[in-house]
Amino acid sequence: MMYDVHEQRVLVVGGGLAGLCAALFLRRHGVEVTLVERRTTTSPQPKARRINIRTMELFRQLGIADEVLEAARDLASYQFMAAGPTLAEAERLPFTLPGGLPDWDAITPATACLCAQDLLEPVLRDRAEARGAEVRFGVELIDFHDGDTGVEATLRTADGTVQRLHADYLIAADGSGSPIRERLGISRSGRGTLGRAVNVYFRAELAELVRGREFNLCQIENSSAPGAFASIDGSSRWIFSSATGLDRAADEWPDVLRTAIGDPTAEIEIMSVMPWEPGMFVADTYRRDHIFLAGDAAHVMPPFAAAGANTGIEDAHNLAWKLAHVLHGSADPALLDTYQSERHPVGWFIADQSSIRTTDLRTMNRESTDATPLADPLALILGNRYPTGAFVDDGSAHTMDHLDITGQPGTRLPHAYLTPGRSTLDLIGIDFALLIGPSGAGWRTAAAGTPSVSVHDIPETYCKTVDLTPEGALLVRPDQIVAWRAPQLPADPAGALRTALALSLGRAAHPRQPWRSGEPASPAASPR
């Protein structure tokens, strides 16, 4: 047994979607990062597939959106829902949203896609390695100690070599059963287990059968074989999910699948049979001193809103810029407290909304299982507002009944094309951005002495979108969240900007936060 000691700024434990994205976001900000994953390869299971428009916006910011879309090309036409007594008889369901279909170009520059996790993870791993992250699969965290100067981690490689690594911070992206969360004694709350189901992953050549009726999910309304098919590659790989036959042996499934397919001669190869329990479990705190939970380690939710992986990736996006600014010395360590105050309420709300959505594809966007009001699906993806955190709240109104983002601090910057193919979101780099109206020249002088702020002109039409006068300005964080809104040019714009920036970087006094001392955090409030 051999011991080595390595210095590293951030250690990410877990090589799934949240962990790999955390490494990518950190490298974008110039932070040294090591990622360890006890598995020797990326996931062999398709698992998560729906990559929503917000996640694709983040991939666009990373410059990898085209690579993700290329990995997703086989399912490019498989965006629909379908239902019927068998796969052979199923018909596509009309795609509707509660408020009607939007003008997609008016709300996002990105395109959502279906990309199975076993195809997406290799793309993320390759990009993380190419951009300087130390990615080490086949390496397990076997012990850690959180001290005054960071985390001392003990790692073991597949050949039994033991290494020690010091990191300023550790991101636990080690899955729903998170050994790190368990070791820290962090409890979870939520609706708990919501039932039982089984996923049957199989191969069958069904592309011709569904041609012209391609689907993302197909609901089988058949009492002999109820469930739903999910397309993995649109050709030969599929998942059948059912709440019946939970204890059925693997060799019994082909006949059931043929019944659900509607073809008694279909050749079927069972890849795996995995019982699972949908449920809602949200960690009561996302932080314990130098250790942060992200992804499934922080929140487990049913797949009914296709939000779990996307929410985990947004966790990493929120945390990365904050760690970077603290490590680079441009922010106070108190900024890291806002990871809890921002992401915990949103994680809770999305997990709860996922839990109340019915599994019936015909009614899932209209009815909840217990009469709890449903957030608008677009609002759930793009429209969450942080209740408190690293921004200056202006008391403006906000709703989740529809997509309501008009420059309110704590919300994602509204998208608009400034020139063909260039979005307002593309203005946001690794520093804060000050977006100024056409009569706001005084802001340039105000920002001249602030090297961590870039200044960009916005047209008067966009000023109206975000409730600014032509002399107003928006301060936007590196994660594309509005930090401060100044509707007009104040008497002392430089002083106002300095104050807003200080508040957004944790330099103002913060009340004592319970998660710093190990006390449980209070239950999350829903985003406003």
Side-chain angles (χ1 to χ4, degrees), residues 4 45 101 149 194 213 217 219 233-234 243 297 342 379 383 415 491 499 507 513 517:
D4 291 320
Q45 295 286 337
L101 295 182
T149 63
L194 300 173
R213 299 178 296 116
L217 297 172
Q219 182 168 288
D233 65 2
E342 292 181 353
H415 151 76
T499 298
R507 293 175 182 159
Q513 303 293 350
S517 63

Side-chain angles (χ1 to χ4, degrees), residues 140-480:
E140 182 179 7
L141 176 75
I142 59 174
D143 195 16
F144 64 89
H145 172 71
D146 191 1
D148 293 338
T149 63
V151 179
E152 299 290 338
T154 305
L155 310 174
R156 182 172 58 208
T157 63
D159 65 3
T161 300
V162 174
Q163 302 172 329
R164 290 177 182 159
L165 182 149
H166 173 84
D168 294 279
Y169 297 99
L170 185 154
I171 299 176
D174 53 342
S176 60
S178 177
I180 296 175
R181 186 192 65 237
E182 293 294 323
R183 163 83 175 269
L184 293 172
I186 295 174
S187 57
R188 297 191 294 177
S189 302
R191 293 175 181 256
T193 299
L194 300 173
R196 297 178 64 206
V198 61
N199 281 357
V200 184
Y201 179 30
F202 69 99
R203 290 186 183 273
E205 298 299 333
L206 303 177
E208 289 302 319
L209 181 66
V210 303
R211 192 171 302 282
R213 299 178 296 116
E214 292 86 356
F215 61 84
N216 170 10
L217 297 172
C218 180
Q219 182 168 288
I220 302 302
E221 299 160 333
N222 180 328
S223 59
S224 298
F229 287 100
S231 301
I232 303 305
D233 65 2
S235 175
S236 62
R237 295 198 297 151
W238 314 85
I239 284 178
F240 184 72
S241 184
S242 179
T244 66
L246 305 181
D247 301 318
R248 188 176 284 136
D251 60 3
E252 298 178 72
W253 276 105
D255 285 340
V256 177
L257 293 174
R258 292 185 187 103
T259 298
I261 292 167
D263 180 357
T265 66
E267 295 186 10
I268 292 171
E269 177 190 357
I270 302 297
M271 306 288 287
S272 66
V273 177
M274 298 179 62
W276 61 287
E277 295 184 352
M280 175 189 172
F281 301 92
V282 181
D284 292 325
T285 177
Y286 285 12
R287 179 183 185 186
R288 185 64 54 79
D289 296 319
H290 298 94
I291 300 173
F292 301 85
L293 306 182
D296 286 351
H299 42 69
V300 174
M301 61 191 75
F304 310 141
N310 294 288
T311 305
I313 291 169
E314 290 184 46
D315 292 340
H317 191 240
N318 179 286
L319 180 58
W321 78 267
K322 295 174 180 178
L323 286 171
H325 276 260
V326 169
L327 288 168
H328 295 329
S330 56
D332 191 277
L335 174 64
L336 300 178
D337 292 343
T338 66
Y339 178 63
Q340 166 76 12
S341 62
E342 292 181 353
R343 292 307 300 169
H344 184 266
V346 167
W348 179 280
F349 183 70
I350 295 175
D352 194 54
Q353 284 283 310
S354 298
S355 300
I356 62 174
R357 275 168 160 70
T358 172
T359 58
D360 188 338
L361 299 183
R362 298 181 186 274
T363 62
M364 62 186 306
N365 284 330
R366 301 195 307 271
E367 300 176 6
S368 71
T369 58
D370 63 358
T372 300
L374 293 177
D376 180 90
L378 287 177
L380 199 62
I381 295 171
L382 295 177
N384 283 288
R385 185 179 189 178
Y386 294 138
T388 185
F391 56 89
V392 184
D393 194 353
D394 64 359
S396 52
H398 178 258
T399 182
M400 293 294 286
D401 293 339
H402 58 271
L403 183 59
D404 176 29
I405 45 174
T406 57
Q408 305 100 318
T411 64
R412 174 269 215 174
L413 178 71
H415 151 76
Y417 281 116
L418 301 173
T419 58
R422 183 163 175 78
S423 167
T424 49
L425 295 173
D426 298 329
L427 301 176
I428 313 306
I430 60 174
D431 291 315
F432 280 69
L434 189 67
L435 280 51
I436 64 174
S439 301
W443 289 111
R444 288 193 175 274
T445 302
T450 311
S452 59
V453 176
S454 61
V455 181
H456 305 273
D457 295 309
I458 53 175
E460 186 170 353
T461 53
Y462 188 72
C463 289
K464 294 177 180 177
T465 297
V466 294
D467 289 341
L468 297 180
T469 67
E471 64 177 22
L474 281 183
L475 183 66
V476 186
R477 306 181 336 189
D479 60 350
Q480 302 175 336

Side-chain angles (χ1 to χ4, degrees), residues 51 67-77 79 113-116 119:
I51 310 302
E67 293 176 67
V68 173
L69 291 174
E70 174 61 21
R73 67 185 184 280
D74 289 341
L75 290 180
S77 61
Q79 301 293 324
C113 68
L114 292 171
C115 187
L119 298 179

Side-chain angles (χ1 to χ4, degrees), residues 122-143:
V123 173
L124 301 177
R125 179 181 179 178
D126 288 347
R127 289 299 88 208
E129 291 175 336
R131 296 181 183 187
E134 184 181 359
V135 178
R136 304 176 62 192
F137 275 63
V139 176
E140 182 179 7
L141 176 75
I142 59 174
D143 195 16

